[in-house]
Amino acid sequence: MKIALIGAGRIGRVHAFSIGQHPAVTLAAVSDCHAPAAEALAAQYGARALSAEAIFADSDIDAVLIASSTPTHAEYLEQAARAGKAILCEKPIALDLARTRAALQVLESHPVTCALGFNRRHDPQFAALKQALVEGRIGTLETLTIISRDPSPPPAEYVGASGGLFRDMTIHDFDMARWLLDEPISHVHAEGSCLIDPAIGEAGDVDTAMLTLTTVSGRLCHIGNSRRACYGYDQRIEAFGSEGMLQAQNESETRLRFTGEPGQVEEKPKWFFLERYAEAYSREIGDFVEAWQTQRPPLAGVNDGLEALRLAEAAERSLKEGHRIALDDIH
């Protein structure tokens, strides 16, 4: 597979590395609105620096990985689909449901393999937890707890462009909840505060949140978010069921624990998502290539993006209105 990368920023460089590690994939071209960034990354991997338009017009390119700024995702996704390219698009497709649905309509008219960048589905620990649930290892799943905390808050000016905490950060947790619960979610209740950086509150967002999701059968999922964890990137999941419990823990460099007379000491968690999910990004590329080769659905697709965004919309409405929101009311 020959893949072109659109976006040569931080996440683009992560994807370029994963592409470079895959034996069946070639990074054919790189595009970025900042030409020097595209040229530098392309040179690093022996690829060409091209405009997005040239990428879509090049019949030798099989696929496009969209890792550009969020406001460009939907347009590039549509252009890639019309050009017959397979697509791996970073989340979200768009920040609002109407624009997301418009992009999905283009995909219906121009069907291609299209994966969405919910990389956490590819994390080895989370994937093992999912498999254990499928195998019934803890009986009937009853409650799910997802903890997701960043090591430090983003600049306040980032907040406006990101769509806010629920669309930018919690959206990964919404996808995890949907994937692990494997049952339609009926209601969302969100509470949020600005406890870390007053500038984030002044920008109209929250930096700390707790959410409860309820499924149609009554299963409960609790999501806890914070923009600051002084010890590193806190990413944990607990699944509790009728016959036991499963826990996915934080990753550290070696996961070594020292036990001695003073007590027990473990390493801090890995610092941020680039380190924590390096293996997940690699597996994501592998899943995308296999989906394209075999014409099977990718592990995370565009409808997963739409449904996670519906949950984000419901959470935002719940926070503003002060009560739980029925997902049927989010259109």
Side-chain angles (χ1 to χ4, degrees), residues 22-71:
H22 196 290
V25 181
T26 299
L27 181 59
V30 180
S31 178
D32 194 275
C33 59
H34 182 57
E39 292 164 1
L41 190 59
Q44 184 178 345
Y45 290 92
R48 296 173 291 163
L50 298 176
S51 67
E53 291 71 22
I55 286 172
F56 297 132
D58 192 332
S59 60
D60 198 40
I61 292 173
D62 302 305
V64 175
L65 198 160
I66 302 169
S68 50
S69 61
T70 296

Side-chain angles (χ1 to χ4, degrees), residues 6 66-77 79 93 99:
I6 300 180
I66 302 169
S68 50
S69 61
T70 296
T72 66
H73 289 181
E75 179 63 29
Y76 284 146
L77 186 149
Q79 291 184 57
I93 296 170
R99 185 68 186 92

Side-chain angles (χ1 to χ4, degrees), residues 149-318:
R149 299 173 180 137
D150 286 353
S152 58
E157 56 267 22
Y158 172 84
V159 171
S162 73
L165 185 139
F166 295 141
R167 290 180 180 82
D168 173 55
M169 180 179 175
T170 321
I171 198 163
H172 279 291
D173 305 313
F174 289 140
D175 182 65
M176 275 286 99
R178 292 187 61 250
W179 187 50
L180 296 174
L181 291 166
D182 196 25
E183 182 181 2
I185 294 167
S186 61
H187 290 84
V188 178
H189 185 201
E191 295 284 351
S193 298
C194 195
L195 303 175
I196 300 164
D197 185 356
I200 290 177
E202 292 167 5
D205 198 15
V206 297
D207 55 30
T208 307
M210 289 189 171
L211 305 97
T212 301
L213 314 181
T214 307
T215 71
V216 292
S217 72
R219 293 176 179 173
L220 299 174
C221 173
H222 176 266
I223 298 173
N225 288 151
S226 175
R227 287 289 196 182
R228 181 203 59 218
C230 64
Y231 46 84
Y233 197 41
D234 195 356
Q235 300 284 294
R236 291 172 285 144
I237 296 177
E238 176 187 291
F240 178 80
S242 58
E243 297 176 19
M245 176 176 65
L246 297 163
Q247 292 178 310
Q249 304 289 352
N250 283 321
E251 295 281 355
S252 63
E253 287 303 318
T254 66
R255 303 194 73 181
L256 182 68
R257 173 186 290 179
F258 165 79
T259 302
E261 200 248 330
Q264 291 185 332
V265 180
E266 294 186 53
E267 296 172 318
K268 291 181 180 179
K270 291 184 177 181
W271 183 247
F272 206 18
F273 74 95
L274 298 178
E275 301 91 340
R276 170 64 178 82
Y277 290 119
E279 178 66 19
Y281 283 114
S282 177
R283 291 185 175 208
E284 183 177 57
I285 292 292
D287 178 76
F288 176 54
V289 173
E290 185 179 306
W292 175 71
Q293 290 173 334
T294 63
Q295 293 300 293
R296 67 157 173 80
L299 186 58
V302 290
N303 283 322
D304 295 308
L306 176 67
E307 291 306 314
L309 186 60
R310 288 182 68 220
L311 289 169
E313 293 269 355
E316 187 171 87
R317 186 182 298 181
S318 174

